[in-house]
Amino acid sequence: RRRKLDMVAGIAAALEGPQLSPEGRDRAQAFLSLYRSASAAFDEMRPDAFVNRLIERLGLRRATIFAAQADTLERLVNIAKLGELAVAYVRREPQATARDFTRYISAVAEAGLPEQEATAPAGPPAVQVMTMESAKGGEWDHVFVLGLSGMRMPGPRRRGGDGVPDALLKEALPPDGGEVHEAAMRRLLHVAMTRARRTLHLSWFEAGELPRPSLFFEEARTALEAEEEVFEEELFGPAEGLHSTFRMMRDELLDSVSRVGGSLSEMRLDTYLDANQAVVRHLELLKLAALIERGKAGQPVSEALADVNDLLGQVATPEQRDLYKQSALDEYLLDSERDERRRADAIGSEEQSLDAFIPRRGEGLMLSASDIETYRICPLKYKFARVFRIPQEPTINQRFGIVVHQVLERFHGQGGGSMEHLMDLFETSWRRAGFGDSNDDLQFREKAVNALTRYWETDRDRRSEVAWFERSFSFKLGAHLLRGRVDRVDRHPDGSYELIDYKTGKPKSAAELREDIQLSIYQMGARESWELETAAQSYYYVLDNEKVPVEHSPEQLDRVRATVAEIADGILAQDFEPTPSPEICPFCDYRIICPAAEK
């Protein structure tokens, strides 16, 4: 806005000087006249009336008639479409002003208009966000129905006719015990699901007090015989909460700095929107840092949030405050704190059932290879890590492993490249991971540089093709849902596929890996989830540049299935007895609260 005002002031000043030609002076005066009249109506006139009057004032309709070239005509027709878009916007937002429509149309232009004609150049379609009630009567190529958790769909029944007192109702509502509400929510979801022309995506978020999907979600999945695809949060290390959210947002902000900075060099009227959004993201990062510091002093998020928001709101512009208030970050943080509080209560009361916290999926459990391995090592550790979700501070070895995985993922995701490109990716990930110049950090840095150098030299002669990297899978094994993510899938020249999992620890021999479960689950996941038969599975020990194949016979896969069923039965029975081990217990993150550690 300031830039536009500077431009107007500059034009007004130019009219005072002798530099403008008579033709240029007439154009400048016409522009200022149009600007003043438009500014007066910007916050008062309806968007459709404002746009149509602006089109008439600019003479677009008259110019369309006399347009001689096809591309000129196409541009004028597309501009005239603004009137139709404004009419549709007013139907949805009757109280909106022309300024509100300007913000909306800027966002639509950034995403790409949804109206794609055959003669128009291809572009990314827009994403239209709406409630399920608003979807009635419309159709879209791809529909995403979000928020299908057990607590929200069908959710609690609203009493008294959606907040209307019983005395004001025309007739008394029958006592339904929730059946009427459930039926109404089922019909509402049916409306949303039948709006899709090509693909339908149902989604729920594993958070809150009872992290389970809606009954409707499970019914739809069962009816379609569809497997659930799990998308993990991209957090730094195993620890969750404020610290991991801070690191995640910090990385996102760093990634967007160059993009936003580049937009500042463009003469676009909506550039200030990009800048405002970047400033708001920075304010949210400051909020997380403040909440972390207040948490160290013992102040919970629910108490500190209002004060921090008030302080940050004072330094923001009105536009930035509006964007700041629209963020869903506060709700996410409060929801996480409530979930942690309930788990803490459960930890302090062994008499309370843990059923609400066990990661169920339908009649079974949601498991991963690491979950199964954790329970095999020590059932009590599984209880602390997966049921109570007590965060574990990432060790330097874990942080180092995450860096190596990220570097290789980005390297192959960008099509490979030179050794210099690989080292640039490493330098970026190394700084973001918080490594410094301590002796331990420098030793790990030297290991990483040497390992990545050898990796690049070996990969340069690779005959196979990297088909996928960090590919997720999920499949049903009996009543249980198993999920995971394969680091790398190679396609060999003979057409066969190999699953590869990166390791940054000490290599194990094929004999030591005879009882391995992880790659067995990966092999079953590739077949069941991707319909891909694999001929080989291997661990790639990056620091030693050594690949160890692991073979799985049908008998071994049967053994894995039996192991999964046995472990799942133990979890469902809440059998979380510790398994003390002098080799493992001294390095366990939970040894301070483990009763077995006292023996």
Side-chain angles (χ1 to χ4, degrees), residues 515-536:
E515 300 297 319
D516 174 72
I517 284 184
Q518 180 179 349
L519 287 181
S520 298
I521 292 177
Y522 284 10
Q523 181 182 4
M524 289 187 284
R527 181 175 63 247
E528 300 296 332
S529 185
W530 310 335
E531 298 182 354
L532 184 71
E533 291 291 343
T534 57

Side-chain angles (χ1 to χ4, degrees), residues 307-499:
D307 291 340
V308 174
N309 283 337
D310 182 62
L311 290 171
L312 293 176
Q314 295 180 24
V315 302
T317 65
E319 291 84 359
Q320 292 165 3
R321 278 196 295 271
D322 289 341
L323 293 172
Y324 185 79
K325 292 177 181 178
Q326 295 170 12
S327 170
L329 179 61
D330 287 4
E331 182 179 354
Y332 169 77
L333 295 176
L334 292 173
D335 197 35
S336 299
E337 185 181 62
R338 284 192 293 268
D339 190 44
E340 291 175 5
R341 190 183 304 119
R342 293 187 76 249
R343 293 182 184 279
D345 294 340
I347 293 172
S349 176
E350 290 296 333
E351 297 180 359
Q352 182 176 350
S353 173
L354 302 178
D355 188 66
F357 303 107
I358 291 176
R360 289 180 176 272
R361 188 55 52 89
E363 296 297 324
L365 294 174
M366 180 170 58
L367 295 169
S368 66
S370 61
D371 293 337
I372 295 169
E373 187 63 26
T374 299
Y375 191 91
R376 289 179 68 190
I377 293 173
C378 179
L380 185 58
K381 182 176 181 180
Y382 174 88
K383 176 183 177 181
F384 289 149
R386 291 294 293 134
V387 179
F388 288 153
R389 296 188 184 180
I390 300 175
Q392 300 169 264
E393 185 64 26
T395 65
I396 189 171
N397 290 284
Q398 291 170 331
R399 293 166 54 208
F400 175 75
I402 291 170
V403 168
V404 173
H405 276 72
Q406 288 177 341
V407 171
L408 295 180
E409 176 188 0
R410 291 169 182 168
F411 178 71
H412 288 292
Q414 297 173 11
S418 63
M419 182 66 193
E420 290 75 14
H421 177 55
L422 181 61
M423 286 297 109
D424 288 342
L425 294 174
F426 168 71
E427 292 293 343
T428 302
S429 295
W430 188 258
R431 291 193 303 270
R432 290 181 180 176
F435 285 101
D437 297 326
S438 67
N439 290 333
D440 288 344
D441 290 358
L442 292 177
Q443 290 180 20
F444 274 98
R445 179 184 176 84
E446 183 179 0
K447 289 181 180 180
V449 171
N450 293 336
L452 291 174
T453 301
R454 291 194 299 269
Y455 180 92
W456 182 84
E457 292 172 348
T458 303
D459 187 73
R460 183 176 50 179
D461 300 327
R462 169 175 46 85
R463 297 181 59 196
S464 61
E465 173 192 359
V466 178
W468 296 281
F469 209 91
E470 292 289 335
R471 188 176 185 185
S472 300
F473 66 83
S474 64
F475 68 99
K476 292 295 290 292
L477 187 59
H480 312 294
L481 178 71
L482 272 70
R483 61 180 184 174
R485 181 178 296 171
V486 181
D487 288 340
R488 176 173 142 190
V489 182
D490 276 11
R491 182 189 296 111
H492 294 294
D494 62 358
S496 63
Y497 289 89
E498 179 182 8
L499 306 179

Side-chain angles (χ1 to χ4, degrees), residues 7-56:
M7 180 182 68
V8 173
I11 294 175
L15 287 173
E16 302 296 330
Q19 292 85 359
L20 290 179
S21 64
E23 182 181 1
R25 187 178 300 274
D26 292 339
R27 291 184 177 180
Q29 289 174 341
F31 170 79
L32 289 177
S33 176
L34 178 62
Y35 174 79
R36 294 189 185 102
S37 60
S39 298
F42 207 46
D43 293 311
E44 300 175 0
M45 189 176 294
R46 285 164 44 109
D48 52 347
F50 180 88
V51 170
N52 285 321
R53 186 168 298 182
L54 185 63
I55 291 174
E56 290 293 339

Side-chain angles (χ1 to χ4, degrees), residues 202-213:
L202 306 182
S203 174
W204 70 284
F205 180 60
E206 187 183 359
E209 295 185 350
L210 293 175
R212 296 180 184 176

